[in-house]
Amino acid sequence: MKGSESGERGRLRRELVDLLNAYSGEAQHIGHAFASQHRLHNTDMHALLAVMQAERRGTPLTPGKLGESIGLTSGATTALIDRLERGGHLRRSRESADRRVVHLRYADAGMALALAFFTPLAPRTDAVMNDFSVGELETIEKFLNGMIGSLVAYRDELRNS
């Protein structure tokens, strides 16, 4: 029993890793299509995604945090932000009492483009999630957070080596 259990665990492990890789690849294809349609660089897409995720969490990124999260130098981050701001995708915002602190926010025009492109995907992902209970979704959330944490830790090790 123990041997078959570990065999099944190994099979599931391999299958889950393959599925995560397939999901990542398909998500990249969709991201590249969006970038191509709007003449964005791959780095632009990573930056926009990071800004969107930070806004959703209620912790908007500063330019420095954006640069750290996508692995750019200060100068490259400034050029990236300038390009995205000129394109109507991002805006700089000074929201704190310390006017030196700049937060990055999605600009209305950039959000409208993203919504127009990605909204047709929502009913498809909702349909998949509707097949799972809240408890199952919580387990999936825990799993994905753990997997992302392991990737981020390894990415940071690679950057620091």
Side-chain angles (χ1 to χ4, degrees), residues 46-47 50-51 61 63-72 155-156 159:
H46 288 290
V51 168
L61 291 177
K65 290 287 182 193
L66 174 63
E68 286 175 29
S69 76
I70 60 176
L72 294 178
R155 178 202 67 199
D156 290 347
R159 283 184 184 166

Side-chain angles (χ1 to χ4, degrees), residues 12-26:
L12 281 168
R13 183 189 179 288
R14 288 186 302 276
E15 182 65 18
L16 288 169
V17 168
D18 286 348
L19 288 169
L20 286 169
N21 286 332
Y23 180 87
S24 175
E26 294 304 325

Side-chain angles (χ1 to χ4, degrees), residues 126-138:
D126 288 346
V128 172
M129 286 192 230
N130 287 338
D131 287 340
F132 295 88
S133 70
V134 170
E136 289 171 324
L137 290 172
E138 289 171 342

Side-chain angles (χ1 to χ4, degrees), residues 94-117:
R94 288 180 170 77
E95 302 163 10
S96 70
D98 185 348
R99 300 291 294 158
R100 295 171 296 175
V101 177
V102 173
H103 290 109
L104 301 172
R105 299 274 189 185
Y106 246 99
D108 291 341
M111 184 57 77
L113 288 174
L115 285 174
F117 184 87

Side-chain angles (χ1 to χ4, degrees), residues 111-155:
M111 184 57 77
L113 288 174
L115 285 174
F117 184 87
F118 290 104
T119 295
L121 182 59
R124 296 166 189 201
T125 58
D126 288 346
V128 172
M129 286 192 230
N130 287 338
D131 287 340
F132 295 88
S133 70
V134 170
E136 289 171 324
L137 290 172
E138 289 171 342
T139 298
I140 295 165
E141 177 185 38
K142 179 181 174 185
F143 171 77
L144 290 174
N145 277 324
M147 295 301 283
I148 291 166
S150 68
L151 288 174
V152 168
Y154 185 55
R155 178 202 67 199

